[in-house]
């Protein structure tokens, strides 16, 4: 893990409320693996106080750059949405556990929901550049066409790609999880990687468990230190005996889906 | 220029500690921060038995601060002694073990068992955590309970005993006096202020525990005021904390009467905060021709 200053090289609005930031940050770009994140200090002042974690969407090692995709949801992302290129930011990273990749050629399915697409873009690229490249199928769901931010970034890195929107404005109408049965029924999928809203991940995990297909999910949680010290960003995991919690920042953000206590994770959803 | 301080016989190379719960057991920041430069480390709260902690969300950002409700998640005394303590000792800095319990007996047993352990500089009695159902802050709100608990622990240990006080009281000096009467060698203050935050979209509390402890720069003026009051009321050394981000913040506590300070939430903002505070204190002393940092303790009380 590095603590480093990085210059914002480029800021692009890629969809309504969605921004893509490109940082010049060779040390983190060289070390980062798909699924890892950076913990970014938004302001040098006290507002907002805490850093913000962002999954790395992509790295360009020759250029020494890395990209972060986000949707504007609060003060931190509002500030970043206005950040001027040339501004320097403090980054901690790369942090967390990456997606485990197969040692042999496999057929894999990526399931992305909303801005959860970010780490899967990085992963798709890595999976196809492995010594034993994978065959990558991609699914990407969002509420509406506008929320399919960076869909081209994902689709061009997949051997097959299908999008879904809840309002039918792009791709198939419905939830991305509605597409899972067809994917699995066709056969061939040996592992699944997913990132998106909790309800989506819980459904992906349920279907993978039923069909006994290995699945990894990338989770998010309100986070403070980012390095495992404060125990603030935990999620509930299954296990014998009492409730146990693991840290998203250090034990995750990538977890085997079978490890997560989905019942507790979804109990509080509206 | 001498930055060293004594806390009830405990020698610290400099007056800047990292506060309990914000630096884990040191290992999380290893390689990121030169831990050997710290004045000392206050460990995450240790309980007799392992604790899972509170359901998430456990933290929530607030203006210039944050709420937390971790709930003493820790591996328990056995794992602490077998794994965490030996690793902590390797940094060569004083280790202050924060001990917490649900009952008086648990505190006493913890203190007794830690008394035989090597490499512990002091115990910090946690009677101020607001995020657990039993114990913790319950012992820190009524002077009689505080005195009784501290006295019982005092009997069980020869270690330097520091009592960490809660700000969630009407008169903190009464609790400070009670801890001293019970035999506390020093006091640390303040723990977090009880607060809460509501998610207006979902119309429910943000934190899984409903309430949490407020920390960060937002609480600093309260902490400085309480340090001032307690320094006036008791003779024992004080470790001041609450929202320290810069060396200037640390100086406020020292000049109010704290012999040492601790960086807490500031570690989350920037892992090297405590090290920068140490560097800043040194610079300040050199610039102002202060021979030793102890000359500044309580300086605001006497007009410097």
């Amino acid at each position: 893990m590095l603590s480093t200053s990085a210059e914002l090289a480029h800021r692009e609005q890629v969809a309504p409320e969605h921004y893509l930031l490109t940082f010049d940050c060779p040390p983190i770009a060289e070390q980062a693996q798909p699924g890892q994140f950076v913990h970014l200090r938004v302001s040098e002042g006290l507002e907002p106080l805490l850093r913000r974690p962002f999954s790395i969407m992509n790295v360009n090692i020759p250029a020494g750059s890395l990209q972060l995709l986000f949707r504007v949801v609060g003060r931190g992302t509002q500030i970043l949405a206005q950040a001027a290129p040339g501004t320097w930011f403090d980054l901690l990273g790369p942090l967390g556990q990456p997606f485990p990749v197969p040692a042999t050629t496999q057929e894999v399915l990526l399931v992305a929901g909303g801005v959860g697409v970010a780490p899967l873009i990085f992963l798709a690229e890595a999976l196809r550049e492995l010594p034993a490249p994978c065959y990558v199928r991609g699914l990407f769901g969002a509420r509406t066409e506008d929320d399919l931010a960076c869909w081209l970034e994902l689709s061009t890195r997949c051997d097959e790609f299908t999008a879904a929107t809840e309002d039918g404005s792009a791709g198939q109408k419905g939830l991305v999880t509605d597409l899972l049965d067809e994917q699995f029924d066709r056969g061939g999928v040996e592992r699944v990687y997913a990132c998106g809203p909790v309800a989506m991940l819980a459904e992906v995990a349920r279907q993978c468990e039923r069909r006994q297909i290995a699945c990894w999910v990338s989770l998010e949680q309100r986070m403070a230190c980012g390095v495992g010290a404060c125990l603030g960003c935990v999620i509930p995991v299954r296990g014998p005996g009492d409730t146990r919690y693991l840290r998203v920042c250090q034990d995750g953000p990538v977890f085997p889906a079978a490890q997560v206590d989905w019942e507790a994770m979804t109990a509080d959803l509206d | 220029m001498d930055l060293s301080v004594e806390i009830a016989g405990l020698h610290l190379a400099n007056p800047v500690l990292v506060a309990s719960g914000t630096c884990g057991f040191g290992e999380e920041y290893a390689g990121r921060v030169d831990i050997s430069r710290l004045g000392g480390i206050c460990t995450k709260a240790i309980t007799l038995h392992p604790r899972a902690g509170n359901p998430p969300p456990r933290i929530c950002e607030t203006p210039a601060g944050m709420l937390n409700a971790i709930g003493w998640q820790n591996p328990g005394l056995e794992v602490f002694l077998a794994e965490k303590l030996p690793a902590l000792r390797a940094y060569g800095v004083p280790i202050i073990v924060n001990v917490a319990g649900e009952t008086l007996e648990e505190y006493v047993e913890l203190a007794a068992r830690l008394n035989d352990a090597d490499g512990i500089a002091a115990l910090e009695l946690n009677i101020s955590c607001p995020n657990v159902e039993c114990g913790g802050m319950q012992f820190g709100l009524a002077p009689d309970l505080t005195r009784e608990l501290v006295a019982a622990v005092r009997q069980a240990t020869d270690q330097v005993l520091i009592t960490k006080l809660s700000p969630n009281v009407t008169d903190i000096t009464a609790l400070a006096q009670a801890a001293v009467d019970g035999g506390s060698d020093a006091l640390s203050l303040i723990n977090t202020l009880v607060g809460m935050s509501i998610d207006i979209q979902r119309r429910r509390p943000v934190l899984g525990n409903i309430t949490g402890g407020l920390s960060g720069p937002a609480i600093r003026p309260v902490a400085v005021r309480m340090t001032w009051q307690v320094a006036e009321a008791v003779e024992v050394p004080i470790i001041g904390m609450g929202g320290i981000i810069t060396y200037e913040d640390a100086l406020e506590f020292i000049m109010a009467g704290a012999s040492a300070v601790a960086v807490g939430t500031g570690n989350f903002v920037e892992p090297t905060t405590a090290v920068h505070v140490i560097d800043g204190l040194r610079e300040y002393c050199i610039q102002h021709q202060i021979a030793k940092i102890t000359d500044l303790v309580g300086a605001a009380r006497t007009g410097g």
Side-chain angles (χ1 to χ4, degrees), chain A:
Chain A
M1 192 239 315
L2 300 159
S3 175
T4 184
S5 282
E7 187 179 3
L8 178 62
H10 197 64
R11 188 198 72 210
E12 183 186 355
Q13 182 168 7
V14 291
E17 302 295 296
H18 289 74
Y19 292 82
L20 181 63
L21 303 182
T22 306
F23 288 93
D24 285 331
C25 192
I28 293 180
E30 280 163 24
Q31 288 188 15
Q33 297 176 60
Q36 292 189 298
F37 69 96
V38 293
H39 212 22
L40 191 155
R41 190 166 176 188
V42 175
S43 156
E44 285 188 19
L46 303 179
E47 279 294 308
L49 185 67
L50 299 175
R51 291 168 179 265
R52 297 292 190 268
F54 295 99
S55 284
I56 298 167
M57 186 185 102
N58 211 357
V59 299
N60 182 333
I61 293 173
S65 64
L66 62 85
Q67 292 186 307
L68 310 177
L69 172 68
F70 64 90
R71 188 165 65 90
V72 176
V73 291
R75 279 177 306 150
T77 45
Q78 276 162 14
I79 290 169
L80 290 175
Q82 321 251 320
T87 308
W88 288 75
F89 288 89
D90 194 279
L91 268 62
L92 285 180
L95 297 169
Q97 306 304 320
F99 289 109
V101 295
T104 55
T105 294
Q106 290 195 352
E107 193 160 341
V108 308
L109 178 66
L110 310 184
V111 187
V115 285
V117 71
L120 298 179
I121 289 170
F122 193 2
L123 177 65
E125 179 144 328
L127 288 170
R128 299 217 305 175
E129 287 176 357
L130 289 170
C134 290
Y135 185 86
V136 181
R137 301 189 203 168
L139 301 179
F140 187 7
R143 285 171 303 183
T144 179
E145 183 177 14
D146 282 344
D147 294 331
L148 288 172
C150 292
W151 71 270
L152 208 56
E153 302 286 323
L154 182 63
S155 64
T156 53
R157 288 169 172 80
C158 293
D159 297 289
E160 294 176 24
F161 177 80
T162 311
T165 53
E166 289 175 41
D167 65 359
S169 53
Q172 299 203 27
K173 187 174 190 314
L175 297 172
V176 70
T177 46
D178 298 339
L179 305 176
L180 290 173
D181 268 333
E182 191 249 326
Q183 291 290 331
F184 291 139
D185 289 344
R186 266 169 56 199
V189 175
E190 293 169 274
R191 52 169 75 193
V192 173
Y193 300 98
C195 185
V198 168
M200 179 202 102
L201 295 177
E203 178 61 15
V204 173
R206 192 183 67 81
Q207 295 210 25
C208 287
E209 189 162 333
R210 187 160 56 86
R211 293 173 185 263
Q212 297 188 302
I213 297 171
C215 175
W216 286 267
V217 294
S218 175
L219 298 176
E220 61 179 0
Q221 181 60 281
R222 291 165 187 268
M223 192 176 285
C225 75
V227 298
C230 74
L231 310 177
C233 64
V234 299
I235 53 106
V237 294
R238 293 168 175 168
D242 296 338
T243 309
R244 283 197 312 133
Y245 299 104
L246 291 179
R247 302 160 296 184
V248 167
C249 68
Q250 183 73 19
D251 304 308
V254 175
F255 293 91
Q259 190 177 19
V260 177
D261 182 346
W262 294 105
E263 202 179 331
M265 289 280 288
T266 53
D268 206 28
L269 292 181
D270 294 313

